Amino acid sequence: MTSTPGSGGPTAAPTPRPSDRPAGRADPARPRLRRRFSRAERLVHRTTGALMLPCVATAACLYVPQLAELVGRRYLVVTVHQWSGLLLPAPFLVGLASPAFRADLRRLNRFAPHDKEWLRAVRRRDFRPESRPAGKFNAGQKLYGGWIAGAVLVMLATGLMMWFTWLTPLVWRTSATFVHDWLSLAVGLVLVGHIGMAFADPEARRGMRTGSVERPWAEREHPLWKEEE
């Protein structure tokens, strides 16, 4: 209780509003967040997905007879497939202008001793977080990133051989068609697994959607992340 001049008696002290908190003091009711991906990285991911999905979908329409009959318009399907595949590396190349994107590429390209431990735990089906040490990216994400990057390059090269038939001999085009067809099936299966794992981890999806994750999740799933900074 306090008294104000001229009031003639005590009055209750005003309750501080949320906006009256001292600057720099976090609201304990809000979850602690940690920045995981920059805006440029999220745009690269979304744009790549926006090109990859029609590329895979049109490939399915070209190679599965039932889908081809259902969709029809083969020329349009072929055109969408060709241009979405040709443009697929573009988001990656544009993203190289971002320092955060380049920094994460370096992380994805480096395997450390703890990555071997992570893979051994996966092989043993050991799901305990303490048995799967990881930096900002775990060993599985590093393998996926390297594999999908190599697959896109091979698909692009073989696709160009099939598209511009006069550039290479017939035997090259025949081999390119074989590699392109089977690798496209592998890419489709890997993407299904990637999407399935993303749906199984809401916090990982949140990191790619908003750029931030909760610190408890980061400390549990990526305990060595701090050491990489």
Side-chain angles (χ1 to χ4, degrees):
M1 303 288 286
T2 60
S3 61
T4 57
S7 63
T11 59
T15 303
R17 294 171 298 178
S19 58
D20 295 332
R21 287 193 189 94
R25 182 175 298 178
D27 185 350
R30 297 181 60 187
R32 296 172 298 165
L33 298 179
R34 182 173 188 186
R35 196 69 174 170
R36 182 161 175 82
F37 295 115
S38 67
R39 185 170 187 174
E41 291 176 289
R42 302 199 308 275
L43 286 174
V44 169
H45 185 267
R46 292 170 186 172
T47 310
T48 301
L51 291 169
M52 180 70 80
L53 289 179
C55 189
V56 172
T58 51
C61 293
L62 290 172
Y63 291 106
V64 179
Q66 293 80 359
L67 290 177
E69 293 177 4
L70 180 65
V71 175
R73 302 179 65 85
R74 182 177 177 84
Y75 179 78
L76 177 61
V77 172
V78 170
T79 302
V80 172
H81 181 74
Q82 289 172 335
W83 283 103
S84 59
L86 185 64
L87 293 173
L88 199 53
F92 174 89
L93 296 176
V94 174
L96 291 176
S98 166
F101 184 68
R102 296 197 303 271
D104 277 350
L105 285 180
R106 288 191 291 270
R107 291 188 181 98
L108 283 168
N109 198 39
R110 294 174 182 170
F111 268 77
H114 63 258
D115 291 315
K116 297 179 181 178
E117 185 177 346
W118 191 96
L119 292 172
R120 284 195 294 268
V122 171
R123 191 169 59 248
R124 297 193 305 267
R125 296 181 179 274
D126 187 349
F127 297 100
R128 295 174 302 164
E130 61 271 18
S131 66
R132 297 189 177 192
K136 184 174 184 179
F137 302 105
N138 61 44
Q141 292 167 329
K142 292 179 180 180
L143 289 175
Y144 170 78
W147 188 89
I148 200 68
V152 166
L153 291 177
V154 173
M155 294 289 287
L156 179 61
T158 54
L160 289 173
M161 291 182 193
M162 297 163 62
W163 189 356
F164 302 103
T165 55
W166 63 89
L167 293 178
T168 55
L170 176 61
V171 64
W172 287 27
R173 297 198 304 273
T174 303
S175 302
T177 302
F178 177 83
V179 172
H180 195 88
D181 290 354
W182 284 103
L183 187 55
S184 64
L185 176 62
V187 168
L189 294 175
V190 170
L191 285 177
V192 169
H194 176 68
I195 294 172
M197 294 184 69
F199 272 98
D201 194 340
E203 194 62 26
R205 293 202 315 275
R206 175 185 178 176
M208 187 55 71
R209 187 178 68 254
T210 67
S212 300
V213 294
E214 292 189 9
R215 287 186 179 274
W217 177 88
E219 293 167 358
R220 182 181 69 251
E221 300 294 335
H222 302 272
L224 304 180
W225 184 358
K226 292 181 179 179
E227 300 178 10
E228 296 177 343
E229 297 180 342

